[in-house]
């Protein structure tokens, strides 16, 4: 990450729709491809799901990445396959300040 990307971090906090596990499996490759692109650009700090438990799927996800603006972070979130295809019920995008490590 560049200095500006470290200071322009945003948290994308998404909640899954109920019973979305099958849709997650279908759209996961496209979702991961977008995350891998962020990583290759040096903009991804972390990403991962909030598990319910091993059998029942997920509650949602957290992505922390660098964007030039809140609007760009929101647009990126709205274009995610998990959002477009109904896995996510909603996504909240907030500025994030990394403290540690």
């Amino acid at each position: 990450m560049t200095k500006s990307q470290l200071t322009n971090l945003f948290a994308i906090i998404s909640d899954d729709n109920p019973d979305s596990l099958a849709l997650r499996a279908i759209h996961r490759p496209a979702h991961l491809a977008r995350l891998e692109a962020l990583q290759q650009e040096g903009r991804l700090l972390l990403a991962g799901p909030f598990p319910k438990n091993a059998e029942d799927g997920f509650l949602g996800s957290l992505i922390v990445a660098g964007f030039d603006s809140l609007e760009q972070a929101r647009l990126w979130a709205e274009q995610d396959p998990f959002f477009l295809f109904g896995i996510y019920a909603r996504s909240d995008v907030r500025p994030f300040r990394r403290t540690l490590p």
Side-chain angles (χ1 to χ4, degrees):
M1 283 186 157
T2 66
K3 175 83 170 146
S4 70
Q5 289 166 331
L6 285 173
T7 58
N8 290 316
L9 290 173
F10 295 89
I12 302 169
I13 305 158
S14 303
D15 296 321
D16 279 23
N17 275 307
D19 302 318
S20 61
L21 188 58
L23 281 176
R24 259 186 180 266
I26 293 167
H27 297 287
R28 188 170 189 262
H31 171 74
L32 289 179
R34 294 183 82 235
L35 291 172
E36 289 167 356
L38 282 179
Q39 185 175 19
Q40 289 173 359
E41 295 165 6
R43 298 175 18 188
L44 183 65
L45 183 62
L46 64 92
F50 302 118
K52 286 184 189 176
N53 61 48
E55 297 81 33
D56 291 335
F58 302 94
L59 298 170
S61 300
L62 169 66
I63 298 166
V64 179
F67 294 93
D68 290 333
S69 67
L70 179 62
E71 293 76 26
Q72 284 186 352
R74 284 184 177 145
L75 181 62
W76 190 94
E78 291 168 358
Q79 293 173 346
D80 190 280
F82 279 12
F83 188 80
L84 292 173
F85 293 101
I87 291 97
Y88 292 153
R90 70 194 134 280
S91 291
D92 185 26
V93 182
R94 303 175 188 184
F96 181 84
R97 183 172 50 188
R98 181 179 180 176
T99 302
L100 291 172

